[in-house]
């Protein structure tokens, strides 16, 4: 591999880690660039290699968030326990089935979510409601399984879907939703990494330098989000959802 390609991949990983730490969606930056720079690499190997920097960046952001925010560890551990196997089976399905049939559905869902978030100025600006313990654990379990599977099977926008789920279903504000989403996203990454490792689909020459840069970006992004708060995160959320729409729109209408 040429040094220029590795430098460009590492720079992309830094930007992806920075954006992902704030509100998710780093895969929208990292994956397309890797596909452009390494068009001859098998897709499964490419995705497997990118899971390593995604994991390190998310881990660094999660550590910083957890130092500053109160976390419901019991709820998170339940979600992690469910998300890991869900992501594993999603990645397993990806290895035998094409996921393009899901993209038109997700495109419509994202359009609705984008307009809803824009129209509701106070959406995610504060803890909006509380629910019973049983309902909270049920909804959290559902989120972990569905989005965990989604991350393994499709991938892009997982962090944003997690943030949205924490806000819309569990009543979190943007900052706490971002923090909790990081831990669940770590679990989904682990589930996929286990599968890709078992199949020998990770190129460490690519994964390691990208992982270092993604972690640095994740640290700086999380620090900025903590300092700036919910309004700043909401803007980033809208940008990432719009970017996800463009990505799926391209896949649906131009490929």
């Amino acid at each position: 591999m040429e040094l220029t390609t590795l430098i460009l991949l590492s720079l992309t990983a830094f930007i992806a880690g920075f954006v992902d730490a704030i509100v998710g969606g780093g895969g929208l930056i990292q994956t397309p660039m890797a596909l452009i720079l390494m068009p001859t690499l098998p897709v499964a190997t490419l995705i497997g290699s990118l899971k390593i920097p995604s994991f390190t960046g998310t881990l660094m952001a999660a550590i910083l968030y957890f130092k500053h925010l109160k976390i419901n560890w019991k709820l998170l551990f339940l979600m992690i326990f469910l998300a890991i196997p869900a992501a594993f089976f999603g990645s397993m399905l990806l290895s035998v089935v094409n996921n393009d049939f899901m993209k038109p559905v997700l495109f419509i869902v994202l359009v609705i979510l984008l307009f809803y978030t824009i129209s509701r100025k106070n959406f995610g600006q504060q803890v909006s409601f509380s629910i019973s313990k049983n309902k909270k654990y049920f909804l959290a379990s559902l989120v972990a399984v569905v989005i965990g599977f989604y991350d393994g099977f499709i991938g892009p926008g997982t962090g944003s879907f997690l943030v949205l789920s924490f806000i819309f279903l569990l009543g979190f504000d943007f900052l706490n939703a971002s923090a909790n989403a990081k831990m669940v996203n770590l679990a989904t990454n682990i589930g996929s990494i286990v599968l890709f490792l078992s199949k020998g689909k990770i190129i460490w020459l690519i994964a390691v330098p990208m992982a270092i840069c993604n972690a640095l970006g994740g640290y700086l992004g999380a620090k900025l989000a903590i300092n700036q708060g919910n309004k700043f995160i909401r803007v980033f959320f809208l940008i990432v959802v719009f970017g996800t729409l463009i990505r799926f729109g391209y896949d649906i209408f131009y490929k």
Side-chain angles (χ1 to χ4, degrees), residues 19 58 60 67 100 123 125 131 136 145 173 176 218 221 235:
V19 172
T58 303
M60 186 60 70
K67 286 182 178 180
D100 286 345
F123 181 70
Q125 296 305 298
I131 55 178
K136 178 182 289 187
V145 171
D173 61 10
N176 283 280
V235 173

Side-chain angles (χ1 to χ4, degrees), residues 49-254:
S49 300
L50 294 181
K51 285 293 179 182
I52 302 299
S54 295
F55 176 82
T56 57
T58 303
L59 177 62
M60 186 60 70
I63 291 171
L64 194 59
Y65 276 125
F66 294 159
K67 286 182 178 180
H68 292 83
L69 301 172
K70 185 178 180 180
I71 303 296
N72 184 339
W73 288 106
K74 187 176 180 181
L75 183 73
L76 270 183
F77 282 139
L78 171 65
M79 296 182 75
I80 290 166
F81 178 77
L82 295 171
I84 290 176
F88 179 89
F89 286 116
S91 292
M92 183 180 291
L93 184 63
L94 176 61
S95 65
V96 296
V97 176
N98 192 293
N99 63 19
D100 286 345
F101 69 95
M102 282 293 297
K103 290 174 182 177
V105 177
L106 291 168
F107 184 82
I108 295 171
V109 170
L110 283 167
V111 170
I112 295 171
L113 293 177
L114 182 66
F115 281 103
Y116 179 84
T117 306
I118 291 173
S119 64
R120 297 287 297 272
K121 300 296 184 183
N122 293 325
F123 181 70
Q125 296 305 298
Q126 58 187 4
V127 177
S128 55
F129 60 86
S130 60
I131 55 178
S132 67
K133 183 178 179 180
N134 288 339
K135 186 176 182 180
K136 178 182 289 187
Y137 278 80
F138 170 76
L139 291 174
S141 299
L142 185 64
V143 168
V145 171
V146 172
I147 298 185
F149 184 85
Y150 169 85
D151 191 30
F153 186 51
I154 300 177
T158 296
S160 300
F161 280 124
L162 279 170
V163 169
L164 187 71
S165 298
F166 273 108
I167 295 171
F168 192 74
L169 296 177
L170 301 176
F172 286 43
D173 61 10
F174 267 113
L175 183 58
N176 283 280
S178 293
N180 283 270
K182 291 298 145 229
M183 199 66 184
V184 182
N185 212 170
L186 276 177
T188 62
N189 281 330
I190 290 172
S192 294
I193 286 170
V194 169
L195 179 70
F196 287 123
L197 278 172
S198 69
K199 293 182 175 291
K201 297 294 185 181
I202 296 175
I203 301 177
W204 294 102
L205 179 64
I206 298 170
V208 171
M210 288 186 72
I212 294 170
C213 293
N214 200 296
L216 179 59
Y219 174 83
L220 294 175
K223 192 168 185 179
L224 184 62
I226 292 168
N227 291 335
Q228 296 298 320
N230 289 314
K231 289 184 179 180
F232 172 78
I233 299 174
R234 180 179 183 273
V235 173
F236 251 82
F237 177 80
L238 290 171
I239 292 171
V240 170
V241 170
F242 185 70
T244 310
L245 271 174
I246 294 174
R247 164 71 186 278
F248 284 141
Y250 175 79
D251 288 346
I252 294 166
F253 300 112
Y254 293 101

